Amino acid sequence: MPSVSHDVIIIGAGPGGLACAAIAAGLGLRTLVLERKETIGKKVCAGGITWNGLIKRIPEDISERRFCRQQIFTRCQRASVTAPTPIIATVNRERLGQEMAKKAMEAGAEIRLGSRVAAIDGQSVSCAGRKPGMVERLCCTYLVGADGSSSLVRRSLGIPVAAAGIGIHYQIPGEFPAMEWHLDCRFFANGYSWVFPHRDSASVGAYVHWRRMKAGLLKENLRRWAKARGHSLKDCQPSAELINFDFRGWRFGNTFLIGDAAGLASGLTGEGIYPAIVSGEIVGRHIVDPRTDLSPLHKLIKKNALHARMVSVTGKNVILAALVAEAVTFGLKTKLLDFSAIEMAD
């Protein structure tokens, strides 16, 4: 098998991998991104990003809708959270991915689509070659796992995933005026459902810890809940994704994990785009300069741990989950609690 050497190989061309590639290549490292899919950007995702997180850092045309108001519903109350600036926006994941890929390539990174990794041995990666039947062995000084919740890089390190959420959503056509969060333990235990409006459609979905509810039951409950709310899912196809929040470290010698591969997503909300990009950028800089300021990453890790503890506590029983949901919603309604408290960004 032919061997090719790179300074950095990044497995996965999601937001985290592309952010890392742009930094590493821009700082002079020979950087290769391997992506198993034939296109960049497509992923099961409600597409929500927070003001404190990414809205201010992305091009205007990538955000489809911006909201200064959030509607939060429980069984007993309704809260309307408002702010002078947008709290959350929805984005087109494909356009976000394409824009980030363009920046990475302009910085000098090489991106290979349709590259399925077959095996990883330290800093050696075997993948399907660019010619049929060919296996290519690629060597690097630094390997970065940006390959999501089912990360092959993470598995190669022998690190299991014991804490993850399930997200299921439908993209349904139509005009939707409000961004909604629904905390209804009858349907979603200590998880939640959502309506996130996009330009000409909305993501209607639900999220819960995988130990609290199986995917099949979550899908059934989501359809029942949506029907009760007047949302027809009959002609729409569901999409599902695991969301890993089992963080066990980000550096293992010369191998790094970022984003969902590291388990840096929020176990509470499922928020993952912001942690992926921030951890990707920091790892890209750290590879070049170990003196890089790691405080933004440490803040992410603390938020990740806090959210995981909240999921653990509210997952003990449905009554406790309902009480916490009511308390949090009351706090938001009376401004005793700021919406930023449940964001991954500070």
Side-chain angles (χ1 to χ4, degrees):
M1 293 187 295
S3 177
V4 180
S5 180
H6 296 80
D7 294 320
V8 181
I9 292 179
I10 300 166
I11 311 297
L18 294 172
C20 185
I23 295 292
L27 291 174
L29 298 184
R30 187 181 179 196
T31 303
L32 172 65
V33 181
L34 300 175
E35 169 56 49
R36 64 180 178 84
K37 297 178 183 176
E38 297 290 346
T39 58
I40 285 177
K42 269 197 169 184
K43 186 181 177 182
V44 178
C45 179
I49 55 173
T50 61
W51 179 256
N52 288 329
L54 299 172
I55 294 176
K56 296 176 284 188
R57 297 170 54 184
I58 67 170
E60 181 77 24
D61 64 338
I62 290 177
S63 65
E64 298 194 319
R65 299 277 298 275
R66 297 184 176 211
F67 296 89
C68 295
R69 174 175 295 176
Q70 306 290 301
Q71 302 289 340
I72 303 169
F73 300 81
T74 68
R75 290 186 64 184
C76 302
Q77 59 184 318
R78 170 179 175 174
S80 181
V81 180
T82 61
T85 56
I87 302 169
I88 294 182
T90 51
V91 297
N92 182 301
R93 277 297 299 264
E94 290 189 61
R95 283 209 290 270
L96 175 63
Q98 290 160 6
E99 182 70 22
M100 294 188 72
K102 179 182 175 184
K103 289 183 177 179
M105 289 187 290
E106 287 174 349
E110 178 187 356
I111 300 174
R112 294 188 195 174
L113 303 179
S115 294
R116 291 189 171 273
V117 175
I120 296 172
D121 182 11
Q123 275 61 57
S124 176
V125 177
S126 298
C127 64
R130 283 166 282 188
K131 294 181 181 179
M134 177 183 175
V135 176
E136 192 171 16
R137 185 165 64 87
L138 306 168
C139 297
C140 59
T141 305
Y142 301 98
L143 178 66
V144 179
D147 46 343
S149 294
S150 301
S151 170
L152 184 61
V153 178
R154 183 179 176 119
R155 291 203 302 271
S156 76
L157 292 167
I159 305 172
V161 174
I166 307 168
I168 297 178
H169 90 136
Y170 295 78
Q171 199 74 25
I172 63 177
E175 294 291 329
F176 295 81
M179 178 170 276
E180 302 176 4
W181 306 72
H182 294 260
L183 311 176
D184 193 332
C185 61
R186 295 170 300 175
F187 292 98
F188 310 114
N190 62 334
Y192 71 98
S193 59
W194 68 78
V195 178
F196 279 14
H198 287 251
R199 194 159 290 155
D200 302 308
S201 64
S203 167
V204 176
Y207 167 82
V208 72
H209 192 301
W210 67 357
R211 297 200 187 281
R212 294 294 296 130
M213 192 175 296
K214 300 293 185 182
L217 181 57
L218 179 62
K219 177 185 171 183
E220 179 185 334
N221 285 354
L222 174 58
R223 293 183 69 88
R224 287 172 51 221
W225 170 85
K227 183 178 180 181
R229 298 290 303 182
H231 302 305
S232 175
L233 307 180
K234 184 173 61 175
D235 299 321
C236 303
Q237 291 298 315
S239 300
E241 189 83 25
L242 281 180
I243 300 165
N244 173 26
F245 58 91
D246 186 6
F247 177 75
R248 304 195 188 195
W250 60 278
R251 178 167 188 176
F252 306 86
N254 281 4
T255 297
F256 299 83
L257 296 175
I258 61 177
D260 281 17
L264 282 170
S266 166
L268 188 65
T269 66
E271 181 184 359
I273 299 175
Y274 174 77
I277 291 179
V278 170
S279 59
E281 290 176 343
I282 289 174
V283 165
R285 294 190 184 99
H286 180 77
I287 286 172
V288 175
D289 183 2
R291 298 168 298 177
T292 294
D293 178 18
L294 299 178
S295 59
L297 181 58
H298 292 154
K299 288 178 182 178
L300 269 183
I301 293 167
K302 287 182 180 178
K303 271 288 181 80
N304 169 273
L306 173 62
H307 286 195
R309 285 197 298 273
M310 292 177 70
V311 170
S312 177
V313 169
T314 57
K316 293 185 185 301
N317 62 69
V318 173
I319 294 174
L320 181 58
L323 289 173
V324 171
E326 297 295 344
V328 168
T329 304
F330 180 78
L332 292 170
K333 183 164 61 175
T334 56
K335 301 189 184 303
L336 292 172
L337 181 66
D338 192 272
F339 193 83
S340 63
I342 59 173
E343 299 176 14
M344 286 297 284
D346 287 321

